[in-house]
Amino acid sequence: MRGALNAGMASRRVAAGRIHDGVEQLEVSVTGELDLEDRQALQRVAGLAGLSTELRDVTEVEYRELRLERVVLIGVAVDRVDADGSPAAAENSLHELARLAETAGSHVQEGLIQRRKRPDTATYVGAGKAAELAEIVASTGADTVICDGELSPGQLRKLEDIVKVKVVDRTALILDIFAQHARSREGKAQVELAQLEYMLPRLRGWGESLSRQAGGRVAGGGGIGTRGPGETKLETDRRRVRARIAKLRREIAAMATGREVQRGRRRGRDIPAVAIAGYTNAGKSSLLNSLTGAGVLVQDALFATLDPTVRRAHTPSGRAFTLTDTVGFVRHLPHQLVEAFRSTLEEVADADVILHVVDGSDADPNAQLAVVRGVLAEIGAGDVPELVVVNKADVADPITVEGLRLRERGCVVVSARTGQGVPELLTALEPRLPQHDHEVRALVPYSRGDLVARVHELGEVIGAEHVVDGIALHARVPARLAAELAPFNGHRR
């Protein structure tokens, strides 16, 4: 497993370089190019001695900022009969963890998997595997151990005592990537909220520095309730973190109100909403660019898109709809992130149709489908009609693609990079959009060309005839537009 993982990581780095070059050649938007340059400029600098395990002591609380350079991965294959506990599933998960680590700016040295009935309650892995892990860390000069699961504060502390380097879990790694990629004010607030909620039960200090009690003026001017016998420094910092969490929740709620107003305006214009959802790095942003020419950032990296992008597109018949690119999902997506990004994910729950994008070249695309559908159900979007889009057909195994065709009836196979299958996708999407149930016949004066244009944009024109007094329309339109056409009903057809 270790040799195969190392070879796979090396080949993946080479392939990623080629893809980055291709993206830079294909990118047509100046904004997208600048975003990509900024993103690459923010990548972690590896190989600088003395930085790999640096911890900054702010208010005497250990802030676990990730400066990942050389890392060793460790995972546990739970011994059970279902498919999720199979060795193949554990290996796929560890390969994905390696890609996450590389996205965060680190270099993967080794990867280990231990098969056991359940993770060890003390150190996540057994005592023997923990000792072996410590030897590998020492021999490779690794700075960090990343566990393919969420560790309790006790597990993290005890495992660090054994391996003698920093230990982080999958959740902390994903949060770190989100912190690197967040660009908007809302995205940054959502990521900070998730990080603080993750950090709160894991706050710890330096020796006895946080066990001191402080009262009176020494309490840092905390005001009423902080003077007297005093509280430990750790308790003070926990209180400050809770206060910051409460403030962030209020800010995100206010921003969510603005997002709801924008959605309300789009609904008021009777334009159907389509959301692009799927596994991270499945090609959602590339598909948005291919369908709309949006020019949003495209990068061969996990969680390249955090802030939703809304663009307008048209069906082959000319009917308009909005297309929203959303954050990708991943195995074991931290629940803190799901809660923090709930206002953003509401774009998916409120959509009329979901384009569920799956990477046809992935080793286990069916697992991707299951993970995404699980998250969609969690955010209340499980009942939204979906159209499965198998992407990356130009590099996918034809046998795998054919298996997906048989499993997901009605799916569309495309390549967002080459444009293959995109016209067929628009054709398949059109009948899934909400149908208009108001059939009207009206003679619209030539002076109301704006109304005729809206009928063509928002409705379905059955017939149109130019006569002396205007344009005789026969169309199916939304209720709001039917009301605007009512004064022109009853005229010459």
Side-chain angles (χ1 to χ4, degrees), residues 266 269-276 287-288 290-292 310-324 351-355 387 422 425-434 436 456-459:
R266 292 197 296 267
R269 290 193 291 266
D270 296 307
I271 299 178
V274 178
I276 303 177
L287 185 62
L288 177 70
S290 182
L291 290 171
T292 67
V310 182
R311 293 291 185 271
R312 177 175 291 204
H314 294 84
T315 64
S317 67
R319 186 178 179 190
F321 64 93
T322 59
L323 200 59
T324 305
D352 297 304
V353 181
I354 294 176
L355 291 185
L387 173 60
V422 171
L425 171 59
L426 288 171
T427 301
L429 174 62
E430 184 162 17
R432 288 173 167 81
L433 297 177
H436 304 310
H456 281 276
E457 180 182 22
L458 303 178

Side-chain angles (χ1 to χ4, degrees), residues 406-420:
L406 295 174
R407 180 185 176 93
E408 302 293 335
R409 296 291 183 179
C411 70
V412 181
V413 179
V414 305
S415 171
R417 186 177 67 86
T418 65
Q420 170 191 344

